[in-house]
Amino acid sequence: MRVAVGGYLAAVNTFATQKMGLELFQRVTLTGDRVLRAGGREGAIAGFVNGAKQHQWDVVPLQFVAPGVGGKVTSEAHEATKVGFIDLLRKNDPVDGVFLQLHGTAVSDDCDDCEGDFLRTLRELLGDKIPIIALLDGHSNTTPLMVEQASVLLGVKTNPHYDFVPVGEQAARVMARMFDGSVSATSAWAQPAMAPALQKIYIAPGWPMEPLMRQAFNLSRDARVLDVSLLGGFFCSDSPETGISVTVTTNNEPVLAQDIAEQIKAACWAKRQAFHTDMVPVGEGVREAIETDDGLVVLGDLADSGGAGTPGDGTVLLAELLRQNAKGAVVSNI
């Protein structure tokens, strides 16, 4: 068997002003054998390649496009990415399956769902019979189009994310079963009307996502179920499907897949109050920091988090520290 691998990882904050354009995309694109090393030993592709080696498949690298996190992708960059993948697939034709690492939040100037559009483009080339399995980041804003065009979508199950390798290996196992005919993947999608802030979707004891993930895991233990992915979403992307989503894949059990997805959707909605975030006004936060005797205090400007794609050029905290005559304060980056 010949399997192609690649990645398209653009995390988009649609409120950020600096767009991610073609020059950036070209600068960070990996090709050839470098694709197989993308993410190092802890990456999703490494996990999939581990599984491919066990099955003695030939692995064909496509490209790995990872501009990171920022403002909207330009239409030119998105279209060029699709063309690059199509050209490489045609050059390496035939392939029996495709594995992709996606982020799940890409938005361009004229497309609210870049990953769905990307998968549709590949599907139009490959036809209905070639398995396309995609791994999604835990912050993915998963859409019905993505579910429709991919054979299987597998989300990471941790946040912070540290399970890319095992989920990549899971993708190889599912693909092997699709190759031998023992699995006919059917998927369902559901989404509660919730777009929680990033600081509320950690998966750890005491956080609201933890019992929901445990429920998803327990439901995935049914032998008919291939995967249950509960993804927290990326509320910084202002697109129609922004927020928590559930994708369930079964072995030819579409009704079961939808039932499980709806169960988890209902459980998320029942815990919606736990996802509310109480943020401290800047003036109050600085005052409390000055008055505390408990040691170091860290103030985070959540509206200007570089990790969420903003330029990090806000001066609101600095201005307030000066206004209140704070002593011994350090501004870490602007």
Side-chain angles (χ1 to χ4, degrees):
M1 292 292 186
R2 278 168 52 85
V3 294
V5 301
Y8 181 10
L9 281 78
V12 170
N13 180 337
T14 59
F15 301 98
T17 55
Q18 291 92 342
K19 293 184 179 181
M20 295 191 283
L22 181 59
E23 181 181 353
L24 170 62
F25 272 53
Q26 292 173 334
R27 189 166 66 245
V28 300
T29 295
L30 303 179
T31 58
D33 288 344
R34 291 192 301 168
V35 173
L36 305 182
R37 299 191 296 271
R41 295 181 180 179
E42 303 303 317
I45 287 180
F48 183 81
V49 170
N50 290 343
K53 289 178 179 178
Q54 293 178 10
H55 296 286
Q56 298 182 325
W57 298 336
D58 292 329
V59 179
V60 177
L62 297 174
Q63 58 183 5
F64 193 87
V65 185
V69 58
K72 284 185 177 181
V73 173
T74 63
S75 297
E76 181 185 32
H78 176 58
E79 292 300 320
T81 298
K82 293 194 296 182
V83 169
F85 274 91
I86 291 298
D87 287 348
L88 286 166
L89 280 168
R90 285 176 173 157
K91 179 180 178 181
N92 289 286
D93 184 63
V95 297
D96 299 294
V98 176
F99 171 73
L100 301 167
Q101 182 178 358
L102 306 177
H103 192 267
T105 65
V107 175
S108 74
D109 289 326
D110 56 8
C111 180
D112 285 333
D113 180 10
C114 288
E115 283 89 354
D117 179 61
F118 172 67
L119 288 167
R120 177 170 54 195
T121 299
L122 299 192
R123 180 59 73 196
E124 289 172 352
L125 174 70
L126 296 171
D128 295 334
K129 295 183 179 179
I130 300 296
I132 300 176
I133 298 182
L135 180 147
L136 297 175
D137 185 90
H139 293 91
S140 172
N141 293 322
T142 312
T143 70
L145 181 60
M146 293 161 63
V147 176
E148 176 187 342
Q149 298 301 320
S151 306
V152 179
L153 294 176
L154 302 173
V156 299
K157 310 299 191 293
T158 60
N159 185 22
H161 318 314
Y162 55 82
D163 59 336
F164 288 110
V165 169
V167 178
E169 292 172 341
Q170 178 189 3
R173 291 195 298 272
V174 172
M175 188 173 288
R177 296 181 66 188
M178 296 181 76
F179 284 157
D180 68 22
S182 62
V183 158
S184 176
T186 55
S187 299
W189 170 91
Q191 184 172 53
M194 298 166 56
L198 299 180
Q199 65 267 30
K200 296 297 288 188
I201 58 175
Y202 291 111
I203 302 170
W207 297 79
M209 282 290 283
E210 194 271 341
L212 296 170
M213 289 297 296
R214 190 165 58 246
Q215 178 182 2
F217 173 77
N218 289 335
L219 289 168
S220 71
R221 299 174 73 176
D222 187 315
R224 299 168 294 174
V225 177
L226 302 176
D227 182 74
V228 179
S229 290
L230 172 62
L231 302 174
F234 191 58
F235 85 123
C236 303
S237 288
D238 186 18
S239 59
E241 284 86 14
T242 292
I244 290 179
S245 62
V246 188
T247 303
V248 181
T249 305
T250 60
N251 184 6
N252 200 29
E253 295 278 357
V255 175
L256 175 64
Q258 193 65 57
D259 178 65
I260 291 174
E262 295 296 335
Q263 285 186 55
I264 298 176
K265 172 185 174 180
C268 290
W269 183 248
K271 292 187 73 67
R272 63 191 181 277
Q273 300 296 335
F275 285 92
H276 285 180
T277 302
D278 295 321
M279 288 184 279
V280 179
V282 173
E284 181 181 335
V286 170
R287 178 183 58 78
E288 290 182 6
I290 292 173
E291 293 177 353
T292 186
D293 294 323
D294 293 337
L296 179 67
V297 176
V298 177
L299 300 174
D301 185 351
L302 296 176
D304 194 29
S305 168
T310 70
D313 59 0
T315 56
V316 173
L317 270 175
L318 174 59
E320 188 63 28
L321 288 166
L322 293 171
R323 192 185 72 80
Q324 295 194 35
N325 196 30
K327 305 297 182 183
V330 175
V331 177
S332 63
N333 65 289
I334 292 182

